[in-house]
């Protein structure tokens, strides 16, 4: 079985396999695989947690990073934000431009809180 | 402000010492540090009061070390800590004593450790905790008592553990919980009241477990919006299954050995946009979708359903894709009310004929698959209003002829397998055709299907007499670019990929004699 000449096993950080050009191709167990963009080029990296704006999904085969919604800076999953982007208030995992009835915008916390 | 080597400090209270092979927490950090990242180092334990000089710390990242022990006093003094990341370490138990004083903590990551024990007093005092990750550990059961201390918890994952059972009232005090992930466990049975108390829950993920029965406990979840139980062992979805979950938008139930779905299971789900039920082989009747009026995509395949209710398009006016393939449908109602329909798939049923009004008014329909039925006749006006249709599959039926009015926009037409259809087709009715399959090769001739004897030199440009030039796509696949204009003035350039291709043994000339 001829090994792919491009893939190396002596890799940095959390990589299990990597290549000079593409960085990490696969990760050591339980780390998240993430594609870092540098201009047109994409480089694979292995992280213990996904970067800001992404959330991690663990599964038996691969742990991967997925983008949060556009109005969200940090999230637990696709539909549950933990920190909204500027201009939005966080309420029960959602980013709102204005708070629901009975709640008021807290500009320090950027959350909807009881009035 | 001081910044110990090899850390990088941003001068604004942020310090990044990650991935430096450090064996211990670096000393000499500024007292005003509010963000400290020491992940991906080689720290095996946290001694007492190791962060005593960092009283303003708000976020502490310790992921990806080899932490196996955290001294009960290790985190003392961190009154402002909001985010604590301990994932990807070697912890075997939740460091409950060390967490006790973290009154401001909102996010706690303990995922990807080796936790088998969650002490009863874990999380006591964490009244602000909103997000808790315990996934990818070795938990054998839901930590019911520890979880009862978390009134503010909104998001919890216990996925990728070894939980096999969920007892009643397992999450009773989690009244703020919005998201609960339990996927990739070994859950075989759940208490009928195991989700009691979760009145704010919106997302429940039970995918990839061993559930044998439909999780009736969801009846306690009035605000549920997304439910996943795909990849389990559930055979029956009972009547009224989701009657207490009127806000459901998405239900993921594929990869279950479904054999029966109660006909009222999917009623009154006005927020549901897509429904996919495959292979419920014992279902006889079409489900009652009254009140599920915002459905845009319906897939219901592999059942014994033989009739589609005439009221379907009164209930589902917003339907865009309809897949009812692999059922036993014999007759089609009129889909006239479903004006937004773009795709209809009815392959592999027992349809015998198409009436005039079946597809009337479907001006948005692009794709129609009626293959592998028993269709003998199609009313001449059946396709009249299908002005957007580009893809029609009638292969493997019993057609004698094809009514072409309304099919002027087709670019793909499949008629192979209609062995009684021997007449030729009229190219001028199908001017935008690009791909055509027909029962007999000679039927390709009307679409420029040339004979191998006429043009042997592919480089020859088209001759002045209008004869055809042969272009070879790939061995055995012939496409002829040529003119089929009937009168001199009009010249239609038609590159039609027609199969079966005419060839040496199936020349076009011998139209009348059959070489069969």
């Amino acid at each position: 079985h001829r090994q792919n000449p491009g893939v190396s096993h002596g890799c940095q950080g959390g990589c299990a396999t990597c290549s000079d050009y593409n960085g990490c191709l696969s990760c050591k167990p339980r780390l998240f695989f993430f594609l870092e963009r540098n201009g047109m080029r994409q480089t694979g990296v292995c992280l213990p947690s996904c970067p800001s704006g992404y959330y991690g999904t663990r599964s038996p085969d691969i742990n991967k990073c997925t983008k949060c919604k556009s109005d969200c800076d940090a999230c637990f999953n696709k539909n549950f934000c933990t920190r909204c982007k500027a201009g939005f208030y966080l309420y029960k995992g959602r980013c709102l431009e204005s708070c629901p009835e009975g709640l008021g915008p807290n500009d320090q916390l950027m959350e909807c809180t009881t009035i | 402000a001081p910044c110990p080597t090899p850390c990088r400090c941003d001068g604004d209270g942020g310090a990044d010492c990650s991935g430096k092979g450090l064996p211990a927490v670096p000393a000499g950090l500024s007292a005003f540090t509010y963000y400290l990242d020491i992940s991906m180092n080689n720290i095996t334990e946290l001694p007492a009061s190791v962060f005593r000089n960092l009283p303003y710390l708000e976020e502490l990242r310790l992921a990806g070390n080899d932490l196996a022990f955290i001294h009960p006093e290790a985190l003392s003094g961190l009154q402002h800590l909001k985010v604590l990341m301990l994932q990807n370490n070697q912890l075997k138990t939740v460091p409950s004593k060390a967490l006790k004083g973290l009154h401001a903590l909102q996010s706690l990551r303990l995922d990807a450790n080796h936790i088998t024990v969650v002490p009863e007093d874990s999380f006591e005092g964490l009244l602000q905790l909103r997000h808790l990750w315990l996934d990818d550990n070795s938990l054998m059961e839901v930590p019911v008592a520890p979880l009862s201390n978390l009134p503010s918890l909104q998001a919890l994952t216990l996925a990728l553990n070894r939980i096999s059972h969920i007892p009643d009232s397992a999450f009773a005090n989690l009244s703020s919980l919005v998201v609960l992930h339990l996927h990739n466990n070994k859950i075989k049975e759940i208490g009928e009241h195991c989700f009691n108390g979760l009145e704010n829950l919106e997302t429940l993920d039970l995918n990839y477990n061993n559930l044998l029965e439909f999780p009736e406990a969801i009846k306690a979840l009035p605000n549920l919006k997304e439910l996943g139980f795909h990849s389990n062992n559930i055979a029956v979805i009972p009547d009224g299954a989701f009657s207490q979950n009127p806000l459901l938008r998405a239900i993921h139930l594929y990869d279950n050995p479904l054999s029966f779905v109660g006909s009222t299971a999917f009623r009154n789900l006005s927020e549901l946009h897509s429904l996919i039920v495959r292979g419920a082989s014992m279902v006889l009747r079409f489900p009652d979708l009254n009140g599920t009026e915002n459905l845009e995509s319906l897939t219901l395949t592999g059942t014994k359903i033989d009739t589609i209710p005439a009221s379907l398009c009164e209930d589902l006016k917003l339907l865009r894709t309809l897949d009812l393939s692999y059922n036993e449908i014999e007759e089609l109602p009129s889909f006239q009310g479903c004006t937004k329909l773009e795709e209809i798939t009815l392959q592999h049923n027992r349809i015998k004929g198409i009436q005039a009004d079946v597809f009337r008014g479907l001006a948005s329909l692009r794709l129609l698959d009626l293959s592998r039925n028993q269709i003998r006749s199609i009313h001449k006006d059946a396709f009249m209003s299908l002005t957007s249709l580009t893809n029609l599959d009638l292969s493997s039926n019993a057609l004698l002829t094809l009514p072409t009015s309304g099919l002027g926009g087709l670019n793909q037409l499949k008629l192979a397998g209609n062995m009684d259809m021997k007449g030729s087709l009229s190219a001028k009715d199908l001017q935008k055709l690009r791909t055509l399959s027909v029962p007999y090769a000679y039927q390709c001739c009307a679409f420029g299907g040339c004979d191998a004897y006429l043009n042997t030199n592919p480089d020859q440009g088209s001759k002045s007499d209008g004869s055809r030039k042969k272009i070879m796509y790939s061995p055995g696949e012939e496409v002829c670019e040529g003119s089929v204009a009937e009168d001199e003035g009009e010249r239609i350039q038609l590159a039609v990929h027609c199969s079966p291709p005419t060839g040496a043994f199936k020349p076009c000339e011998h139209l009348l004699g059959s070489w069969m």
Side-chain angles (χ1 to χ4, degrees):
Chain A
H1 170 61
R2 195 172 60 80
Q3 258 205 341
N4 180 329
V7 176
S8 147
H9 287 270
C11 306
Q12 292 287 328
C15 301
T17 57
C18 57
S19 77
D20 292 341
Y21 188 74
N22 294 109
C24 297
L25 302 176
S26 64
C27 294
K28 288 176 182 167
R30 307 176 110 185
L31 292 178
F32 291 96
F33 180 76
F34 179 66
L35 275 176
E36 246 173 17
R37 232 181 254 281
N38 308 314
M40 287 292 289
R41 195 169 152 199
Q42 284 189 326
T43 312
V45 292
C46 296
L47 306 167
S49 54
C50 295
S52 194
Y54 291 80
Y55 67 96
T57 308
R58 290 190 186 277
S59 78
D61 324 316
I62 181 171
N63 303 307
K64 60 185 167 89
C65 297
T66 310
K67 216 167 178 28
C68 302
K69 280 185 176 171
S70 57
D71 53 14
C72 178
D73 253 348
C75 63
F76 186 88
N77 70 18
K78 186 79 178 174
N79 296 316
F80 191 88
C81 190
T82 56
R83 190 177 67 240
C84 295
K85 285 212 160 99
F88 294 91
Y89 298 97
L90 181 63
Y91 175 64
K92 279 175 75 173
R94 269 189 293 281
C95 296
L96 308 175
E97 291 183 74
S98 59
C99 293
E101 210 169 303
L103 296 168
N106 179 322
D107 286 306
Q108 194 203 341
L109 297 175
M110 287 311 290
E111 295 181 3
C112 295
T113 52
T114 46
I115 301 171
Chain B
C3 187
T5 310
C7 302
R8 282 174 296 144
C9 304
D10 64 8
D12 197 15
D16 181 359
C17 319
S18 62
K20 300 291 190 257
L22 300 173
V25 176
L29 284 158
S30 157
F32 298 104
T33 302
Y34 79 92
Y35 170 96
L36 175 56
D37 185 353
I38 35 180
S39 55
M40 299 297 271
N41 281 295
N42 302 328
I43 302 168
T44 56
E45 67 175 63
L46 293 181
S49 306
V50 64
F51 299 105
R52 64 183 172 285
N53 298 324
L54 305 174
Y56 299 108
L57 210 52
E58 289 187 15
E59 182 159 343
L60 175 55
R61 296 185 170 214
L62 283 154
N65 281 279
D66 286 321
L67 272 177
F69 172 69
I70 298 178
H71 189 283
E73 295 301 321
L75 304 171
S76 62
L78 297 181
Q79 307 293 330
H80 299 287
L81 194 66
K82 288 184 179 172
V83 177
L84 176 56
M85 291 191 178
L86 292 166
Q87 72 268 28
N88 291 74
N89 278 295
Q90 305 298 321
L91 299 173
K92 291 190 169 57
T93 174
V94 170
S96 54
K97 302 277 183 298
L99 298 173
K100 240 183 221 343
L102 306 178
H103 302 305
L105 197 63
Q106 292 186 6
S107 281
L108 174 57
R109 293 198 62 165
L110 289 162
D111 44 315
N113 277 280
H114 301 285
I115 294 170
T116 53
V117 175
V118 184
E120 295 261 324
D121 64 348
S122 296
F123 317 133
E124 260 176 22
L126 304 187
L127 301 180
Q128 301 301 319
L129 195 67
R130 297 180 183 183
H131 324 122
L132 176 56
W133 285 261
L134 277 164
D135 51 323
D136 199 357
N137 278 291
S138 305
L139 299 177
M140 304 289 287
E141 56 188 28
V142 176
V144 176
L147 290 177
S148 67
N149 301 319
L150 298 168
S152 301
L153 197 66
Q154 294 184 7
L156 168 63
T157 176
L158 294 163
L160 283 94
N161 277 285
R162 299 181 193 154
I163 297 167
S164 58
H165 164 69
I166 306 179
D168 277 344
S169 305
F171 310 101
N173 287 6
L174 298 179
S175 55
S176 299
L177 202 65
V178 176
V179 177
L180 176 56
H181 289 186
L182 289 159
H183 61 85
N184 293 96
N185 272 283
K186 303 186 184 316
I187 300 168
K188 195 168 188 178
E189 52 180 14
I190 63 175
E192 203 170 335
H193 306 291
C194 68
F195 297 133
N196 280 20
L198 296 176
E199 61 257 27
N200 276 299
L201 198 72
E202 296 182 9
T203 299
L204 175 59
D205 183 339
L206 289 163
N207 301 324
Y208 296 109
N209 276 289
N210 305 328
L211 285 171
L212 294 168
E213 289 185 6
F214 178 79
E216 296 272 7
I218 65 167
K219 287 195 158 49
L221 307 174
N223 280 296
L224 198 60
K225 291 190 169 69
E226 182 163 5
L227 171 63
F229 56 92
H230 72 68
S231 310
N232 274 276
N233 294 318
I234 296 166
V236 171
I237 296 181
D239 266 310
F242 309 104
S243 55
Q244 305 303 307
N245 316 105
L247 302 182
L248 272 172
R249 290 186 191 162
I251 306 172
H252 312 287
L253 50 84
Y254 55 87
D255 286 352
N256 275 287
L258 281 181
S259 58
F260 178 77
V261 174
S263 63
T264 66
F266 297 104
R267 272 174 61 107
N268 295 323
L269 296 177
S270 62
E271 298 294 317
L272 200 63
H273 291 284
S274 166
L275 175 56
I276 301 173
V277 177
R278 296 188 193 280
S281 53
M282 284 158 62
V283 167
L284 300 172
R285 278 171 43 217
F286 203 94
D288 173 357
L289 295 172
N290 193 278
T292 302
E293 69 267 17
N294 287 305
L295 209 60
E296 293 178 15
S297 172
L298 172 60
T299 296
L300 185 57
T301 64
T303 72
K304 291 190 169 52
I305 289 171
D306 58 11
T307 315
I308 303 171
S311 63
L312 181 72
C313 285
E314 283 160 34
D315 291 337
L316 308 182
K317 291 188 169 55
L318 300 184
L319 209 56
R320 281 188 301 110
T321 63
L322 177 62
D323 181 354
L324 299 176
S325 49
Y326 292 90
N327 293 302
E328 296 176 2
I329 297 164
E330 298 178 3
E331 213 175 301
L332 296 178
S334 170
F335 292 111
Q336 190 152 9
C338 293
T339 55
K340 293 187 183 303
L341 263 173
E342 295 170 14
E343 291 183 19
I344 299 179
T345 311
L346 285 158
Q347 70 164 309
H348 213 294
N349 275 281
R350 297 178 180 168
I351 301 163
K352 296 179 173 57
I354 308 288
Q355 310 303 323
D357 64 345
V358 170
F359 304 120
R360 182 172 293 149
L362 304 189
S364 303
L365 196 66
R366 286 182 293 100
L367 181 144
L368 177 56
D369 185 346
L370 292 160
S371 62
R372 294 203 245 165
N373 276 281
Q374 299 153 24
I375 301 170
R376 281 197 76 81
S377 66
I378 299 176
H379 189 279
K380 65 179 177 56
D381 297 333
F383 302 138
M384 187 71 85
S385 29
L386 305 185
T387 51
S388 301
L389 196 66
T390 55
N391 193 315
L392 175 59
D393 189 344
L394 283 161
S395 54
S396 303
N397 274 287
L399 286 169
L400 302 172
T401 63
L402 172 72
T404 53
S405 61
L407 299 182
L410 271 191
N411 58 51
Q412 174 163 313
L413 173 59
K414 293 183 181 174
L415 294 167
N418 289 278
M419 303 324 284
D420 296 335
M421 179 188 274
K422 294 190 168 141
S424 62
L425 291 158
S426 163
K428 67 176 173 37
D429 296 341
L430 304 162
Q431 299 202 10
K432 290 190 179 166
L433 217 49
R434 284 294 164 275
T435 309
L436 171 64
S437 77
V438 285
Y440 300 98
Y442 66 77
Q443 290 166 320
C444 280
C445 300
F447 298 86
C450 66
D451 174 331
Y453 302 111
L454 278 183
N455 294 286
T456 48
N457 178 350
D459 299 330
Q460 240 181 3
S462 94
K463 297 191 196 105
S464 56
D465 63 3
S467 58
R468 296 172 189 110
K469 177 173 76 177
K470 178 170 69 179
I471 301 166
M472 192 67 85
Y473 260 110
S474 61
E477 260 194 38
E478 251 177 83
V479 166
C480 298
E481 188 183 1
S483 121
V484 289
E486 278 166 8
D487 46 61
E488 200 50 42
E490 194 186 341
R491 188 179 170 80
I492 303 167
Q493 283 300 330
L494 206 62
V496 179
H497 184 277
C498 189
S499 63
T502 56
F505 298 99
K506 291 178 243 173
C508 283
E509 279 122 6
H510 307 296
L511 281 178
L512 302 177
S514 163
W515 52 83
M516 297 307 295

